[in-house]
Amino acid sequence: MYFFLGALSAVEVAYTLALTPRMLAGFLLPPGGQAVAPSTCAAQMGLFVALGGSECLLLAAMALDRYLAICHPLYYPQLMTAGLCWVLLACSCTGGSVLAVGLTSAIFQLPFCHGGLVNHVFCDLPAVLVLACGNRKLQEYVLLVACLLLLVLPLFLILLSYTRVLVVILGVGDAAGRRKAFNTVASHLTVAVLHYGCATAMYSRPLSSRSLEEDKLVSLIYINLTPLLYPAIYTLRNRDMQGALQRAISQRTSGTAHQAKLT
C-alpha cells in the first residue's frame, strides 16, 4: 500500500509542477495573456495527459492491491510481490504516456486559426481543440475513446473490486476488523471518486455542449484543490498516522503541563 502511495505522491508532485507554475504566472500577466509557442503548448498538454492518465491507471492498480489484501489475505504475500508492484507501476506510466503521445499528436496535426486565444488556465485538450480550423470530428472521437479507456473502464473496475471488498468486510470478522478494513479502503475510494468524478465531468462531454468558462472553474478545482485534499484524506484515515499524531499531541501536552508545574 505504501509503495503505491509513494508512486501516487510522485505523480501528483510532477502533475502540479507541470501546470501550476505557468498558471500562476499567467495570473500576473496583463489581460490578453502571453503568446505560447505550439511546441510549448503541446509539451504541457502531453505532460498533463501522461501524468493524469498514469494516475487513473495507478488508482486502479491500488484497488487491485486492496482487493487482494482483503479478499485473499493468505495468498496476498505470494500474489502482490515487489516485482508485480513495479510491473503495475510501469504499466500505468506506459499506458498514460502512450495515450498522451497519441492524443497530443492527433490534436496538433490539425491546422489552427491565427490569433487564437486559449481560453483556459493551461493548454487543455478541449480548449486547444476548439481553435482548430479543419474538420475535428476524428479528434473528438479519439478524445472520447481515451476518456473511455482512462476514466470509465478503470472506474468500473474499481467499483467492481470494492463491491466485492465490502461484501467480504461485512460478511466476516469482528467489528474491529471490519472497521480497520473499511478505513483502509475508504481513503482510496474517496480519492478515486474525487479524481474520476472531476475528470469525467470535464472530458466526457462533446465540444458542442461545453462552456469554456465552466471548464476553467472545474480545472482549478482538480488542479489545485484535489491534490491538496489527498494528503489529508490518506493521513487522517491511516491508523499509523493517527497513532503518530496522538503520540505527538500527548507528548506536547505532557511537556506543557510539566513546564507549567516548574513555573
Side-chain angles (χ1 to χ4, degrees):
M1 181 179 68
Y2 290 109
F3 172 85
F4 288 114
L5 284 177
L8 182 65
S9 300
V11 170
E12 280 293 329
V13 169
Y15 179 85
T16 303
L17 290 176
L19 300 180
T20 305
R22 191 170 186 86
M23 179 188 68
L24 294 177
F27 291 151
L28 302 177
L29 296 174
Q34 186 181 35
V36 178
S39 58
T40 303
C41 189
Q44 188 184 50
M45 180 186 295
L47 286 173
F48 165 70
V49 177
L51 294 170
S54 299
E55 183 175 354
C56 290
L57 299 176
L58 188 58
L59 289 173
M62 294 173 69
L64 173 64
D65 174 68
R66 294 299 85 204
Y67 168 78
L68 293 176
I70 295 175
C71 298
H72 302 282
L74 298 180
Y75 297 100
Y76 178 76
Q78 290 77 29
L79 294 174
M80 189 57 68
T81 60
L84 180 59
C85 291
W86 282 106
V87 168
L88 290 174
L89 176 59
C91 291
S92 300
C93 296
T94 303
S97 300
V98 169
L99 282 172
V101 171
L103 275 174
T104 306
S105 301
I107 290 177
F108 277 87
Q109 284 178 352
L110 292 169
F112 290 96
C113 302
H114 294 287
L117 176 66
V118 180
N119 188 14
H120 212 281
V121 294
F122 69 100
C123 289
D124 199 8
L125 289 86
V128 175
L129 190 55
V130 297
L131 300 178
C133 298
N135 187 1
R136 58 194 184 206
K137 289 294 182 181
L138 177 61
Q139 283 72 15
E140 291 189 45
Y141 290 139
V142 172
L143 180 58
L144 290 177
V145 171
C147 291
L148 178 65
L149 293 176
L150 284 179
L151 301 175
V152 179
L153 183 59
L155 180 59
F156 174 75
L157 295 176
I158 289 174
L159 295 178
L160 186 64
S161 64
Y162 278 127
T163 300
R164 175 60 180 166
V165 166
L166 290 176
V167 170
V168 173
I169 290 175
L170 296 176
V172 297
D174 54 2
R178 288 195 296 268
R179 183 166 56 252
K180 177 183 176 182
F182 182 76
N183 286 335
T184 301
V185 301
S187 300
H188 180 252
L189 190 58
T190 303
V191 169
V193 170
L194 283 173
H195 180 79
Y196 287 107
C198 291
T200 302
M202 185 70 183
Y203 298 106
S204 62
R205 295 172 294 156
L207 291 179
S208 58
S209 63
R210 287 181 175 274
S211 170
L212 293 181
E213 296 298 328
E214 294 179 0
D215 287 354
K216 284 195 291 185
L217 179 60
V218 176
S219 297
L220 290 174
I221 293 175
Y222 72 74
I223 291 174
N224 301 295
L225 181 60
T226 305
L228 288 175
L229 293 177
Y230 286 178
I233 292 172
Y234 280 115
T235 299
L236 296 178
R237 299 197 67 88
N238 184 275
R239 186 182 63 175
D240 297 333
M241 292 300 299
Q242 289 175 355
L245 288 174
Q246 289 175 357
R247 289 193 298 271
I249 293 173
S250 62
Q251 290 176 0
R252 183 174 180 179
T253 303
S254 61
T256 304
H258 181 69
Q259 186 178 3
K261 288 181 180 180
L262 293 177
T263 304

